[in-house]
Amino acid sequence: MKTLFIILLILGGSQVKGQSEVEQFENFLKDSTLSPKDYIFKLFEKNDIVILGERDHRETTQYDLILEILTDERFINQIGYVYTEVGVINKNDCLNSVLKSEYSTPEKFEKSLIEVYRQLMFFPLWDKYNMYKYLKGVYNINKSLPIEKKITVGLTDCRFEWTEMNFSKYAEFYKNYISVEALNTRDSIMAYNFMKLYEKQKPINGKRKALYIQNQPHAINVEVINESIKIKTVGAHIKENYMESASIVLLNWYKYDANLFSDYSLIADGKWDAAFKLTNYNPVGFNLKNSPFGETSLDYNYDRNLIYEDVADGFIFYKPFYKFVFEVGIPNVVDEDFSDELLRRTSIYFGKGSKVSNEIIKSPEKAKKKLSNTYNNVRTVRVSEIRKLKKQLNEYF
């Protein structure tokens, strides 16, 4: 009986200890009442630019929130411009032409969108379904608006044209702009492209305002020397130029190896997600400064002891990690006419003499069929580490 009492005491003590570590986060969330959407618009009352730190490029539920923001009359009447990391800058005019035009049938719009979509990135095709979902969503908002109020989208990635590419030109482009070594260069170009487009915006109610969607590693405000390499993110460039008129807001995510998208674990050893669970996963937005969340050590702090409030201004919780949806594939993006071009791009991307290029040369029809099935098939991608993350979260309960 005495042994059982000791065991229960130990277990009870462990539970209290786990819960007490979460309590400061839980109490803060209980006092935070702004919805994610209202938090964004609260920021726009004092800020001209809000950078939203997107989680995994494949994750689609975050775009439900983004489209909810864009649909709001406050966005339409006071802001009107939304930018993304995804998409090369030289395709802005043709994309906005599609998104602001009128079509007699949904099929005619989708055909026009697909033609532009094929040109959006410097990969053979951008297969992340959320971008397609987002662009269709913008069109659906625009089609009910007068021309002067239609939302304008902005693509900010490096200039690129597939029609100009061959093996040697692409290899040079990859080396200079896409490789890990060129990360700093690409961030500076994306920031410059955004600022160039932003400064050309037509003011609404006398002010220029913009929402800028950037993947979190680019969105955060970091300028450091790490292993003799200077790292300056998109967020750092924009903060430097617009200072207090720009805010960076991060969406809830989890930790991962930035190079391999592996080694997943929850932020703060799961304390954040435990607090979200204890507050019934209420969607919420809040400032990081003077909060326990802001005082949490940054996952990748470059040996600088950085905390979250050093690199971002705000945070949004929107859906628990186990309800994230990862989708790839774009309906009807590859047809018979485009399939030859896709073979050419794929061969260029992987390089002359590569295994993929050799397989294309050996059996082009087989390669066409395989690529068409891969890109046209919209499907959910299973993240096997979710079970590991759930186990980490459940340690607090």
Side-chain angles (χ1 to χ4, degrees), residues 358-369:
N358 289 338
E359 287 177 352
I360 289 173
I361 293 170
K362 181 179 179 181
S363 182
E365 291 306 315
K366 183 178 178 180
K368 279 185 189 181
K369 185 176 180 180

Side-chain angles (χ1 to χ4, degrees), residues 51-275:
I51 303 171
L52 185 60
E54 177 203 45
R55 45 202 183 212
D56 191 308
H57 275 310
R58 301 167 297 174
E59 208 282 310
T60 60
T61 67
Q62 60 192 322
Y63 279 84
D64 295 330
L65 173 60
I66 289 166
L67 289 171
E68 185 181 339
I69 293 168
L70 301 187
T71 305
D72 195 288
E73 289 186 0
R74 289 171 289 183
F75 189 90
I76 294 165
N77 295 326
Q78 300 170 24
I79 302 161
Y81 290 80
V82 55
Y83 296 86
T84 55
E85 168 195 352
V86 175
V88 294
I89 188 171
N90 49 301
K91 295 303 174 183
N92 273 310
D93 289 344
C94 52
L95 179 58
N96 276 293
S97 177
V98 170
L99 298 182
K100 294 183 179 184
S101 293
E102 295 183 4
Y103 298 87
S104 57
T105 66
E107 291 76 19
K108 288 183 178 180
F109 158 69
E110 289 173 13
K111 182 179 178 181
S112 295
L113 178 60
I114 286 297
E115 288 175 358
V116 180
Y117 195 93
R118 291 168 178 161
Q119 308 295 327
L120 284 188
M121 286 297 281
F122 35 70
F123 301 107
L125 272 176
W126 186 252
D127 68 340
K128 313 304 184 286
Y129 179 75
N130 60 19
M131 186 65 178
Y132 180 73
K133 169 181 177 175
Y134 157 73
L135 294 175
K136 285 187 68 174
V138 172
Y139 167 74
N140 286 327
I141 297 168
N142 278 346
K143 68 182 182 181
S144 62
L145 298 175
I147 187 64
E148 68 274 10
K149 288 194 173 185
K150 290 183 188 294
I151 294 170
T152 299
V153 302
L155 311 172
T156 63
D157 217 326
C158 306
R159 186 197 179 281
F160 183 88
E161 191 69 64
W162 267 110
T163 56
E164 300 172 359
M165 285 299 125
N166 55 34
F167 286 103
S168 60
K169 285 183 178 180
Y170 191 88
E172 188 71 14
F173 178 87
Y174 190 96
K175 176 184 175 183
N176 292 335
Y177 301 108
I178 311 177
S179 66
V180 174
E181 292 76 16
L183 180 63
N184 198 52
T185 301
R186 180 167 169 246
D187 271 50
S188 67
I189 291 172
M190 288 192 291
Y192 171 78
N193 286 343
F194 166 77
M195 291 186 282
K196 180 172 67 174
L197 292 168
Y198 173 74
E199 293 297 338
K200 290 181 179 179
Q201 282 184 199
K202 182 180 178 181
I204 297 176
N205 302 324
K207 296 181 179 180
R208 290 188 181 92
K209 291 183 179 286
L211 178 66
Y212 188 13
I213 304 162
Q214 264 285 357
N215 200 235
Q216 279 190 35
H218 303 291
I220 57 176
N221 180 10
V222 171
E223 183 175 5
V224 297
I225 303 294
N226 188 57
E227 298 179 356
S228 301
I229 299 173
K230 181 180 179 181
I231 298 172
K232 188 172 183 179
T233 59
V234 173
H237 284 284
I238 292 174
K239 280 290 214 178
E240 181 181 67
N241 280 272
Y242 297 101
M243 296 181 287
E244 297 305 315
S245 65
S247 275
I248 299 170
V249 179
L250 306 182
L251 276 162
N252 65 298
W253 201 2
Y254 39 73
K255 300 193 300 187
Y256 64 94
D257 183 293
N259 294 318
L260 302 176
F261 278 86
S262 60
D263 193 26
Y264 296 97
S265 62
L266 297 177
I267 294 172
D269 297 321
K271 297 181 186 69
W272 285 21
D273 289 271

Side-chain angles (χ1 to χ4, degrees), residues 319-378:
K319 294 192 182 296
F321 66 85
Y322 54 83
K323 290 192 176 180
F324 293 173
V325 178
F326 304 88
E327 288 183 293
V328 295
I330 310 298
N332 305 312
V333 72
V334 182
D335 59 16
E336 187 61 35
D337 291 337
F338 180 68
S339 58
D340 286 325
E341 169 62 10
L342 182 57
L343 285 190
R344 184 184 77 89
R345 292 182 186 184
T346 302
S347 186
I348 288 173
Y349 176 78
F350 283 97
K352 189 177 293 186
S354 66
K355 180 181 178 181
V356 172
S357 294
N358 289 338
E359 287 177 352
I360 289 173
I361 293 170
K362 181 179 179 181
S363 182
E365 291 306 315
K366 183 178 178 180
K368 279 185 189 181
K369 185 176 180 180
K370 182 178 179 180
L371 289 171
S372 295
N373 288 337
T374 297
Y375 285 108
N376 286 336
N377 179 24
V378 181

